[in-house]
Amino acid sequence: MKYQAVIGLEVHVQLLTNSKIFCGCSTKFGAPPNSQTCPVCLGLPGALPVLNKKVVEFAIRAGLATNHSIAPRSVFARKNYFYPDLPKGYQISQYELPICINGHLDIEVEGDTKRIGITRIHMEEDAGKLVHADVPGVGDDSCVDLNRACTPLLEVVSEPDLRSADEAVAYLKKLHQIVVYLGICDGNMEEGSFRCDANVSVMPVGSATFGTRAEIKNVNSFKFVKQAIEYEIERQIELIEDGGKVVQETRLFDPNSGTTRSMRGKEEAHDYRYFPDPDLVPLVISDDWVEDVRLSLPELPVARLARYQAELGLPFYDAEVLTASRELADYFEACLALYPQAKPVANWVMGEVTRGLNDSGLAITACPVTPELLAELLKLIDAGTISNKIAKTVFDEMWQSGKAPAAIVEEKGLVQVSDTGEIERIIDEILAANQGQVEEFRGGKEKVFGFFVGQVMRASKGKANPAVVNDLLLKKLKG
Ligand code: ADP
Ligand code: MG
Ligand code: ZN
């Protein structure tokens, strides 16, 4: 029997607000335990939540960017469960009436575009954190840190439209790119700012009903998502083939072994006893507000990619690399504004700039060669002051010193030699010293031409204008 996998993803997106969703406490990461708390996020009786407007704005942004309808009226609900890091005994979330409904994202799979439905996006608060530690004077202990309690999250729930681990990863990457572009999430998967639960089931190919799903919790990298889903599909198929049944449960992925194991049976929604939170009034969002947010959205990656191809004439590959992050695309455009030739700018950004960033571990926003400096460098090449090759040396020097390219060229005497007299003199010397190769060339072995170019360039310390060198060399060799 052949099997078909079915996958739906639930993604938690931690929002980049300064304060928490229902109180004024800071959301800053890394502060001493419990130092960013107040009666509201400690869950003290009688403390009342007040909704952070920024969270709603961010949710609208996310919703619009992923093609959702924004609900004119949505409701916060209590999701009841007990856990030591949840002092209230419930999490404030949204249930029957979430803020965003019926969205979708288009992903590229093997050259085809596939539309993945998104059921909903809702707002909720995060829980605190249990820290299992060796506490001095106490020994092994579990401590509660409530700094994270009440941190704003969006939960993005996809339809079960994904059919393979690769599709799931493509969807996840696209969603990740969008929330980072929107400036609502830092996208840091290791710190848990963008985490994913994967629901996986299998069914016989052609079946009209889905199989029972297992939910794999909190997978925190694209690579692990792929591994976890692939492992889970295999596990379920083997189980069924052996006459077993998949049970609905929550499983954990272990990156060390690349396997998933059962954590607990999956609760059903009715176990949570959801009900509207009486402390929070229904959230009413005006059309005007939605339109304001829509107008404030940045150009999204899909639109930018299309524009780079259509208006700038860049190949798909370049457009895709340059728009992968908003900062990289902004850098590219800042340089392009000063030196309006898309292809050379693209080549330098994808080449030297990216190489420099990779080698140094710097982010593009901290790139020591600013778009202004890069544009000046490209203008020097255009003007014939330096060759493309020398420009790379100047680039490295700019990276180290942050000096202007013209100053570096001047200081190091790197100005390109285009003076035919001087180049001719070098060529004559090289030809005289290599009579054997001259004979070979004249005997029809044209390959040695490259050898001569190399010699001349070396003798000029890379400063000879390559076009002039080619020209003169050819004349002398043929003549
Ligand atoms: P829960 O809170 O129980 O996890 P949600 O409705 O929040 O339920 O999320 C369910 C997720 O599981 C959705 O992403 C949905 O697409 C996915 N899903 C539902 N049924 C299946 C199935 N049979 N196989 C795979 N995924 C499924
Ligand atoms: Mg869920
Ligand atoms: Zn607080």
Side-chain angles (χ1 to χ4, degrees):
M1 180 124 54
K2 285 285 239 177
Y3 291 89
Q4 172 66 63
V6 173
I7 302 150
L9 299 182
E10 295 164 81
V11 178
H12 284 95
V13 178
Q14 186 176 314
L15 297 178
L16 272 175
T17 53
N18 296 323
S19 55
K20 297 184 178 180
I21 181 169
F22 298 122
C23 64
C25 293
S26 168
T27 51
K28 216 167 168 170
F29 188 78
N34 299 304
S35 62
Q36 292 168 347
T37 54
C38 73
V40 174
C41 53
L42 288 174
L44 301 186
L48 291 173
V50 176
L51 179 58
N52 180 343
K53 189 172 179 187
K54 203 77 191 168
V55 172
V56 182
E57 185 195 316
F58 282 5
I60 300 173
R61 279 177 160 248
L64 292 176
T66 48
N67 313 293
H68 283 79
S69 309
I70 307 301
R73 182 175 174 278
S74 66
V75 169
F76 284 98
R78 290 187 181 178
K79 180 181 185 180
N80 298 283
Y81 62 97
F82 173 81
Y83 206 70
D85 63 10
L86 188 74
K88 292 199 295 289
Y90 60 86
Q91 178 190 16
I92 306 177
S93 181
Q94 295 191 301
Y95 185 54
E96 281 156 321
L97 296 171
I99 182 166
C100 311
I101 47 176
N102 288 333
H104 62 81
L105 271 185
D106 291 337
I107 60 169
E108 257 63 57
V109 272
E110 287 158 12
D112 288 328
T113 303
K114 178 168 175 184
R115 179 154 294 182
I116 307 302
I118 306 180
T119 320
R120 56 191 274 148
I121 300 178
H122 66 251
M123 299 174 279
E124 64 185 24
E125 58 178 345
D126 206 346
K129 211 160 49 184
L130 279 184
V131 186
H132 307 287
D134 184 8
V135 182
V138 177
D140 274 351
D141 215 337
S142 291
C143 307
V144 181
D145 177 6
L146 293 175
N147 281 351
R148 202 181 65 184
C150 242
T151 295
L153 301 176
L154 296 181
E155 181 172 337
V156 184
V157 182
S158 87
E159 289 286 306
D161 287 347
L162 301 155
R163 291 290 174 272
S164 69
D166 286 335
E167 287 188 16
V169 171
Y171 166 84
L172 206 57
K173 283 190 171 164
K174 200 124 207 195
L175 184 62
H176 182 266
Q177 188 190 36
I178 289 175
V179 295
V180 174
Y181 248 80
L182 291 173
I184 64 173
C185 174
D186 67 17
N188 189 328
M189 295 181 80
E190 269 161 52
E191 283 176 14
S193 308
F194 185 93
R195 50 194 197 256
C196 162
D197 302 341
N199 295 272
V200 180
S201 67
V202 298
M203 61 180 180
V205 167
S207 163
T209 45
F210 292 164
T212 305
R213 69 185 154 116
E215 181 179 21
I216 312 162
K217 274 281 172 205
N218 282 339
V219 198
N220 72 347
S221 79
F222 296 123
K223 190 175 125 206
F224 292 160
V225 169
K226 184 170 155 74
Q227 279 181 11
I229 294 175
E230 278 171 354
Y231 173 83
E232 185 59 21
I233 293 171
E234 278 310 305
R235 184 190 72 86
Q236 292 185 11
I237 292 174
E238 272 174 34
L239 186 65
I240 295 170
E241 296 271 88
D242 290 347
K245 262 204 161 95
V246 176
V247 290
Q248 187 168 337
E249 63 178 350
T250 302
R251 299 180 69 85
L252 277 184
F253 176 68
D254 175 7
N256 294 320
S257 62
T259 63
T260 66
R261 64 186 155 80
S262 182
M263 182 167 97
R264 56 177 146 88
K266 172 78 189 169
E267 303 86 349
E268 291 291 338
H270 60 252
D271 296 329
Y272 290 122
R273 300 256 163 182
Y274 279 101
F275 67 90
D277 191 320
D279 290 341
L280 289 155
V281 294
L283 173 64
V284 174
I285 296 171
S286 69
D287 289 348
D288 284 353
W289 191 13
V290 174
E291 284 322 301
D292 282 352
V293 175
R294 196 192 300 278
L295 289 175
S296 77
L297 290 182
E299 185 183 29
L300 291 169
V302 192
R304 215 166 191 177
L305 185 127
R307 179 167 63 85
Y308 281 16
Q309 293 176 86
E311 284 176 25
L312 303 179
L314 289 176
F316 174 81
Y317 176 81
D318 296 29
E320 197 180 34
V321 172
L322 293 171
T323 55
S325 91
R326 184 175 169 181
E327 285 82 9
L328 190 69
D330 287 347
Y331 179 101
F332 166 74
E333 287 183 32
C335 187
L336 190 65
L338 301 167
Y339 181 82
Q341 292 188 45
K343 188 58 185 157
V345 177
N347 288 345
W348 276 82
V349 173
M350 297 190 305
E352 299 305 297
V353 173
T354 303
R355 184 180 57 77
L357 296 175
N358 288 342
D359 291 351
S360 62
L362 289 174
I364 182 74
T365 44
C367 183
V369 177
T370 61
E372 291 75 24
L373 289 176
L374 182 57
E376 280 179 39
L377 182 70
L378 296 180
K379 284 181 194 165
L380 289 179
I381 303 173
D382 244 14
T385 313
I386 52 174
S387 66
N388 217 47
K389 187 152 181 288
I390 291 286
K392 295 197 173 158
T393 313
V394 177
F395 183 89
D396 290 341
E397 184 65 30
M398 285 199 288
W399 192 283
Q400 300 304 327
S401 66
K403 281 188 194 157
I408 294 169
V409 169
E410 171 85 47
E411 231 170 69
K412 308 235 152 175
L414 295 173
V415 176
Q416 176 164 263
V417 178
S418 301
D419 169 18
T420 44
E422 195 172 340
I423 295 175
E424 244 184 303
R425 189 181 53 73
I426 299 174
I427 290 178
D428 288 342
E429 272 171 27
I430 300 284
L431 295 188
N434 298 281
Q435 276 305 314
Q437 279 89 339
V438 173
E439 292 315 314
E440 279 179 29
F441 182 87
R442 290 183 178 149
K445 202 175 161 202
E446 305 218 334
K447 268 198 204 144
V448 283
F449 188 70
F451 160 79
F452 285 116
V453 174
Q455 292 292 312
V456 175
M457 290 310 288
R458 182 175 318 159
S460 77
K461 300 199 177 62
K463 290 190 288 183
N465 181 328
V468 178
V469 171
N470 272 303
D471 226 37
L472 288 178
L473 246 181
L474 209 57
K475 268 190 208 140
K476 296 236 168 202
L477 281 168
K478 293 234 159 123

